[in-house]
Amino acid sequence: MGFFAKDIKSMDDLFVHTLQDIYYAEKKIAKALPDMVKKASNAELKKGFETHLGETQNHIARVEEVFRMHGAQAKAVECPAIDGIIEEAEEIAGDVDDPRVLDAALIAAGQAVEHYEMTRYGTLVAWAKELGRDDCAKVLQQNLDEEKATDQKLTKLAVGTVNMQAAE
Ligand code: FE
Ligand code: FE
């Protein structure tokens, strides 16, 4: 939002603003993921973060596509929420010594990120439909589905192996 506040006048403006928010978040996540790959010890977790880095690049491309479809310029607006989630993830990772406990912490941090993305894409899909843009909703839904799938994979990995090993 700009200096003259009240930049968002319509539902359409709000949709574009939220698209700019998730665009910022996705780019930030793409920058943070290589570090999570490096820090993870569990091979499956490492591979999972790597796979999601590739998916995240696609998310960025899809958001750009929605900007284009909507006739809006692809622009990122600062998103303090994702900054905070990533900052906290880095802090906690720096405080954990045992690599198995670190894996559990990385999963928890990763799931916080996925849930943030899920809430944003869930909203964007609903708003796109309301605005009569089923075409945009369809593209955004693809991102939402991949975030959900990633979240579920992380849960499975945590509950199935990582948490138990961390608690040993
Ligand atoms: Fe994403
Ligand atoms: Fe994600």
Side-chain angles (χ1 to χ4, degrees), residues 14 27 48-50 67-68 75 82 87 96 110 119 149 166 168:
L14 186 62
K27 286 182 155 190
F49 282 144
E50 244 162 18
F67 273 121
R68 245 189 332 268
K75 196 184 94 179
I82 199 71
E87 196 186 312
V96 180
T119 182
E168 257 170 26

Side-chain angles (χ1 to χ4, degrees), residues 25-38:
E26 290 284 15
K27 286 182 155 190
K28 185 100 187 191
I29 294 161
K31 264 191 227 152
L33 270 168
D35 194 44
M36 299 190 61
V37 172
K38 228 185 288 165

Side-chain angles (χ1 to χ4, degrees), residues 19-165:
L19 208 55
Q20 292 168 339
D21 171 291
I22 194 69
Y23 190 47
Y24 175 97
E26 290 284 15
K27 286 182 155 190
K28 185 100 187 191
I29 294 161
K31 264 191 227 152
L33 270 168
D35 194 44
M36 299 190 61
V37 172
K38 228 185 288 165
K39 283 176 181 157
S41 301
N42 178 289
E44 210 179 321
L45 181 59
K46 208 180 248 297
K47 213 183 89 206
F49 282 144
E50 244 162 18
T51 303
H52 200 55
L53 175 57
E55 286 175 345
T56 300
Q57 308 290 4
N58 290 336
H59 295 173
I60 293 170
R62 286 197 195 107
V63 171
E64 285 169 351
E65 191 187 339
V66 174
F67 273 121
R68 245 189 332 268
M69 289 161 78
H70 204 67
Q73 203 197 331
K75 196 184 94 179
V77 291
E78 205 178 318
C79 166
I82 199 71
D83 284 343
I85 289 171
I86 289 173
E87 196 186 312
E88 195 179 332
E90 283 166 356
E91 253 177 50
I92 190 90
D95 283 343
V96 180
D97 212 27
D98 186 319
R100 291 166 309 173
V101 178
L102 179 57
D103 278 349
L106 290 172
I107 291 182
Q111 289 194 283
V113 171
E114 293 318 302
H115 278 254
Y116 179 75
E117 293 182 287
M118 280 154 61
T119 182
R120 283 293 177 253
Y121 284 121
T123 296
L124 281 164
V125 166
W127 286 350
K129 284 180 185 164
E130 203 57 50
L131 290 166
R133 295 304 305 259
D134 285 4
D135 54 342
C136 294
K138 221 174 131 188
V139 177
L140 292 161
Q141 182 71 48
Q142 286 178 276
N143 283 7
L144 178 56
D145 289 344
E146 285 181 2
E147 313 295 14
K148 280 186 183 166
T150 301
D151 179 56
Q152 280 163 11
K153 270 191 244 170
L154 288 171
T155 296
K156 221 176 130 194
L157 197 53
V159 175
T161 351
V162 171
N163 290 352
M164 212 173 25
Q165 285 173 349

